[in-house]
Amino acid sequence: MRRRCIVHIDIDAFFAAVEVLLNPSLEGKPVIVGGLPHERGVTSTASYEARKYGVHSGMPLRKAYQLCPQGIFVRGNYQIYSAFSKRLFRVLHQYTPDVEEASLDEAYLDLTRCRPLYPSFSRTIWEIKNRAEKELGIAVSVGVGPNKLMAKLATNKAKPGGLFEVKEGQDGEFLKSLDISSLPGIGPKTQVVLRMLNIHKIGDLWGLPRATLHSLFGLNGDNLYLQSRGMDSRPLARAAIPKSVSRETTFLEDIWDKRLLLAHLAYLCDRLTLPLRKDRLYAHIIEVKVRYSDFKTEAKRRLLISPLQEMGRVFPIAKELFLGLFAGSRLSLRLVGVKASDLVRARPLSLFEPYSERYVRLGQAVDQVREKYGFGSLLTVREQMLGSLYNFERDRGFVLKTASLTK
Ligand code: TTP
Ligand code: MG
């Protein structure tokens, strides 16, 4: 069987690193995140400088203070960390749809299938690391191996700030000298038993037959047997991708005015693409549906080679489909709808059309403003026509020229 290629990436001292980035005067200092020294509760994390004093995640704040009284204690801000987390995942999803967002600062990528796409594989791994660091302004560590277990162990070896690949044929050599506590299947109790048997390194475990491990630890023992040999067949756990996303409006009164119908369509496209961008989904199929005043319903769809999620690209397609249906109709419409389907998690870099990065950033900025101030805070000129119908709060809204959104 072909050796899988799993990449694991993990931000170094995540919460603490964000705090340093936001307040550069903390650079090089022992930063402890989670609360103030006198408060109850435990530390979330500590900078590598603070770790030298023995401070680590999940330690009571008072204890951390005893170990490192000169530490700089900060409460932390989850919302900000979460924004950084999203930025990391956005970069990773550009390399493959096979991404498992394992925790806020950690992900697995399965590059087995797309490896042939990249002429120099190791350069690509470095590029992923560099791009993530550039995007975040924080160091990340990267591990590469034939499965999730090995990739994560490789990351631990690479920390802080490095990249380590376990190459084919080197699995045993790599595992042999690691401490048994680095295996996820070994908790504190198991460790005590194994150390009593004078087993300290993963290589020491190889001497125990599977049956012995099973009789000592049950099913967990079987797991240990496999893990100690670097075997792990777990697939990547990926968030489910919806089949389709759609938005439609049934009008209070049938409409015949083409301009007004296109304004509705623009609004629906805008509403449709917002969750796509939020969930980092790209659509291969755009479909428009109309229902005439006599209830006859028709739809037209377009299959796209390069999937998309941007309002400014979806609307012109939807408009063309719509006009193909509606042009020449003598009947007015009672409903118009738009649907995105055949959704994928990423638009592979190699298939990128020449497309303005500035434009993508404009879209992101619009989404952010709307998230904060409400959808109606930014409207295209077209959507403005609908102001009274959709009850937008237009008074405090800015108006975006359609041209800037649809170019
Ligand atoms: P980790 O990746 O485990 O730790 P880290 O990023 O701080 O340090 P490193 O990876 O370099 O060893 O966890 C990521 C973040 O999750 C961490 O910054 C804070 C948070 N966290 C907690 O809040 N409580 C915990 O017990 C742990 C382990 C992490
Ligand atoms: Mg981390």
Side-chain angles (χ1 to χ4, degrees):
M1 204 173 69
R2 186 159 57 131
R3 186 174 168 93
R4 289 160 77 210
C5 175
I6 308 294
V7 175
H8 178 254
I9 186 159
D10 188 301
I11 303 177
D12 294 339
F14 179 34
F15 293 2
V18 173
E19 295 300 331
V20 173
L21 193 71
L22 298 177
N23 179 2
S25 72
L26 300 180
E27 179 89 49
K29 300 201 172 128
V31 178
I32 297 162
V33 185
L36 304 182
H38 58 274
E39 287 177 341
R40 282 147 53 119
V42 296
T43 57
S44 302
T45 194
S47 65
Y48 278 75
E49 289 81 1
R51 290 182 198 192
K52 287 184 199 142
Y53 298 87
V55 181
H56 56 74
S57 299
M59 170 180 276
L61 288 161
R62 281 162 206 261
K63 169 116 192 265
Y65 182 69
Q66 280 166 9
L67 290 171
C68 184
Q70 67 277 54
I72 296 159
F73 287 75
V74 283
R75 289 211 176 93
N77 181 329
Y78 188 82
Q79 250 187 327
I80 295 178
Y81 306 146
S82 168
F84 273 83
S85 173
K86 283 189 189 139
R87 279 160 66 176
L88 169 70
F89 297 140
R90 209 179 294 134
V91 171
L92 304 182
H93 280 282
Q94 291 182 352
Y95 288 87
T96 168
D98 290 326
V99 178
E100 174 180 336
E101 299 176 7
S103 76
L104 215 53
D105 79 329
E106 171 192 18
Y108 294 93
L109 280 70
D110 188 339
L111 295 185
T112 315
R113 281 189 301 158
C114 39
R115 188 169 184 156
L117 276 178
Y118 299 114
S120 163
F121 184 66
S122 62
R123 197 180 305 157
T124 302
I125 310 277
W126 275 106
E127 185 189 308
I128 295 175
K129 176 170 154 47
N130 293 338
R131 281 201 52 202
E133 289 179 335
K134 193 163 167 231
E135 180 64 27
L136 297 168
I138 300 176
V140 304
S141 299
V142 174
V144 187
N147 53 47
K148 284 166 68 172
L149 170 73
M150 294 292 275
K152 184 159 176 145
L153 290 174
T155 301
N156 290 345
K157 186 167 172 78
K159 270 191 179 292
L163 186 154
F164 187 82
E165 179 178 356
V166 187
K167 297 220 164 79
E168 193 155 11
Q170 297 177 352
D171 298 350
E173 195 56 36
F174 168 65
L175 286 166
K176 194 169 72 179
S177 51
L178 295 180
D179 192 86
I180 48 168
S181 60
S182 48
L183 289 180
I186 298 194
K189 284 185 193 156
T190 310
Q191 249 190 80
V192 170
V193 177
L194 289 173
R195 294 202 194 279
M196 278 187 334
L197 296 169
N198 207 20
I199 288 171
H200 302 284
K201 303 281 179 210
I202 293 182
D204 301 336
L205 271 169
W206 299 345
L208 290 186
R210 185 169 180 159
T212 310
L213 280 166
H214 184 88
S215 66
L216 281 170
F217 307 112
L219 277 182
N220 199 26
D222 293 279
N223 246 334
L224 269 186
Y225 179 85
L226 298 173
Q227 281 189 4
S228 66
R229 285 158 178 78
M231 288 157 81
D232 174 20
S233 57
R234 285 173 301 163
L236 263 59
R238 278 188 286 148
I241 295 182
K243 276 205 155 24
S244 65
V245 178
S246 60
R247 294 287 181 270
E248 59 180 48
T249 302
T250 302
F251 310 125
L252 289 172
E253 286 173 14
D254 297 352
I255 302 178
W256 195 73
D257 177 350
K258 197 167 80 185
R259 275 185 61 221
L260 191 56
L261 286 167
L262 284 173
H264 277 281
L265 187 70
Y267 170 71
L268 291 170
C269 288
D270 216 351
R271 280 292 196 189
L272 174 88
T273 52
L274 196 70
L276 292 185
R277 288 189 296 273
K278 204 164 176 178
D279 293 338
R280 292 186 300 277
L281 294 170
Y282 295 81
H284 270 292
I285 296 177
I286 300 294
E287 181 175 316
V288 169
K289 176 170 88 173
V290 296
R291 183 165 297 141
Y292 299 91
S293 52
D294 64 356
F295 280 86
K296 193 175 145 219
T297 306
E298 280 184 332
K300 258 186 190 291
R301 51 164 51 195
R302 160 110 19 109
L303 177 69
L304 309 157
I305 306 288
S306 178
L308 42 81
Q309 61 169 190
E310 300 82 8
M311 156 67 175
R313 302 180 80 203
V314 170
F315 177 67
I317 294 168
K319 181 178 163 190
E320 214 180 299
L321 294 170
F322 171 81
L323 293 176
L325 288 163
F326 181 71
S329 164
R330 298 230 189 105
L331 295 175
S332 49
L333 294 187
R334 54 177 289 117
L335 172 149
V336 61
V338 57
K339 180 158 101 176
S341 58
D342 212 346
L343 304 176
V344 291
R345 189 69 78 185
R347 181 160 51 192
L349 278 180
S350 53
L351 296 179
F352 254 12
E353 286 173 5
Y355 195 57
S356 149
E357 184 67 23
R358 271 179 74 194
Y359 181 79
V360 173
R361 283 212 300 276
L362 170 68
Q364 285 167 357
V366 171
D367 291 349
Q368 279 166 11
V369 170
R370 283 173 164 172
E371 196 161 309
K372 199 157 177 192
Y373 299 106
F375 187 87
S377 62
L378 275 179
L379 295 176
T380 61
V381 171
R382 226 185 262 279
E383 286 168 337
Q384 252 203 322
M385 282 179 72
L386 306 170
S388 56
L389 287 171
Y390 286 99
N391 196 20
F392 294 137
E393 298 157 89
R394 287 169 66 191
D395 294 347
R396 61 192 177 94
F398 307 87
V399 177
L400 261 181
K401 293 216 175 75
T402 323
S404 56
L405 258 186
T406 53
K407 216 181 236 162

